DNA sequence: GTTTATACGTGATAGTATAACATCGCAAGA
DNA sequence: TCTTGCGATGTTATACTATCACGTATAAAC
């Protein structure tokens, strides 16, 4: 996944299918709200904020109070279908439907697109600093803000 | 700076002195509110949230409304005396009073101490992904959450 | 001294997130 | 079948984070 165009319907269908499989295997409930929120996140390569999601759920009669959205997002994040983008206080569908990983994000401040790269939690300066300090890493946040190729050219 | 004990009064005095020098050189106003907020941040190796800072300012008669705290924090962050920790929505004094740099943080989820390491914005998986994608990095967020040596042993 | 730019005071409001408790529905076990 | 327990949802309220807008004060520049 990069900043290039592609047939986006596949992203949605594949993402939903993967989540269905995963939940079926583990006897998890892939409920209507959870499915719908994942569809929304898969629907674009920009992140969505919790209240944008809530507004859409409300419009569809799937829930009207903040906890509805946050619970669905918690579920999706916990099981790796979505990630939280700390820098934006927002959420985005996972691009690597496979296993657990430490996501890294490139965030375009002009067009708001976000692309995900994988990273090793123990790698880089964080890993080095942790080993030096005797620190046990459980989770990492790696996000870069800047300009995507399209917006950099336009600038 | 690491998770080890040290004489902490020096941290505060040195940090304030450096900020004074920097501001004097550039004709910036190191006002009472700004100084006091920096002292608070230097006063511990945990991060402080904006409203904790605001509460203390209020108690000292230095301002009672959110913008007072946020303006001071904006100033300190802009000039590199403090950093924002995205993962915590909080702020911490800069440990490297020197020049501009891309901070990386190790955040202990048990004792809330935070230590800062330096990093190269273009390094690591973010840098690689950016070069591959043609993405121009302007700012990076690198934060690891986990257990510091003390808390890892205690666990 | 006047001008100008910067900082501060203040009230209002926007945006993000969780606590707490009630209800519902389904599935495992008596 | 019953009931018991668990996970999910509904709902109210509230906590926490951040900014806007506008007026005033202060200090440096001219």
């Amino acid at each position: 996944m990069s900043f290039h165009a592609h047939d986006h319907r596949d992203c949605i269908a594949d993402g939903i299918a993967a989540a269905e499989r995963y939940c079926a295997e583990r006897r998890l409930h892939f409920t209507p709200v959870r499915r719908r929120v994942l569809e929304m996140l898969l629907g674009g390569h920009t992140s969505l904020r919790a209240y944008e999601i809530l507004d859409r759920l409300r419009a569809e009669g799937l829930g009207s109070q903040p906890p509805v959205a946050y619970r669905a997002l918690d579920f999706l994040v916990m099981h790796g279908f979505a990630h939280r983008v700390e820098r934006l206080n927002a959420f985005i569908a996972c691009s690597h439907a496979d296993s657990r990983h430490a996501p890294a994000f490139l965030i375009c401040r002009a067009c708001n697109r976000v692309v995900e790269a994988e990273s090793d939690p123990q790698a880089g300066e964080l890993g080095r600093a942790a080993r030096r300090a005797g620190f046990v890493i459980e989770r990492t946040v790696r996000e870069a803000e800047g300009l995507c190729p399209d917006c950099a050219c336009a600038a």
Side-chain angles (χ1 to χ4, degrees), chain A residues 83-104:
Chain A
H83 301 296
R84 182 181 164 80
V85 184
E86 297 291 343
R87 175 66 184 148
L88 303 176
N89 291 334
F91 299 85
I92 192 167
C94 176
S95 302
H96 307 282
D98 46 0
S99 61
R100 280 180 181 286
H101 56 269

Side-chain angles (χ1 to χ4, degrees), chain A residues 21-133:
Chain A
R21 256 193 321 279
Y22 177 102
C23 290
E25 282 167 7
R26 288 168 180 73
R27 305 268 186 282
L28 296 171
H29 298 175
F30 194 50
T31 65
V33 176
R34 291 169 179 177
R35 165 189 295 261
R36 199 66 196 90
V37 172
L38 181 54
E39 283 171 1
M40 290 177 195
L41 292 174
L42 287 164
H45 290 302
T46 63
S47 58
L48 291 178
R49 292 171 297 151
Y51 277 68
E52 290 174 345
I53 290 168
L54 177 58
D55 287 345
R56 297 202 207 172
L57 289 176
R58 188 177 285 138
E60 299 177 13
L62 278 172
S64 63
Q65 299 303 322
V68 174
Y70 281 103
R71 286 165 183 159
L73 288 166
D74 285 349
F75 175 88
L76 295 174
V77 168
M78 180 182 328
H79 295 289
F81 304 130
H83 301 296
R84 182 181 164 80
V85 184
E86 297 291 343
R87 175 66 184 148
L88 303 176
N89 291 334
F91 299 85
I92 192 167
C94 176
S95 302
H96 307 282
D98 46 0
S99 61
R100 280 180 181 286
H101 56 269
F105 299 108
L106 303 179
I107 304 165
C108 179
R109 68 169 163 80
C111 69
N112 294 313
R113 280 187 296 172
V114 177
V115 311
E116 178 185 349
E118 298 213 26
S119 81
D120 175 350
Q122 310 301 329
E125 185 50 48
L126 285 177
R128 255 193 307 285
R131 282 188 291 280
R132 223 171 348 189

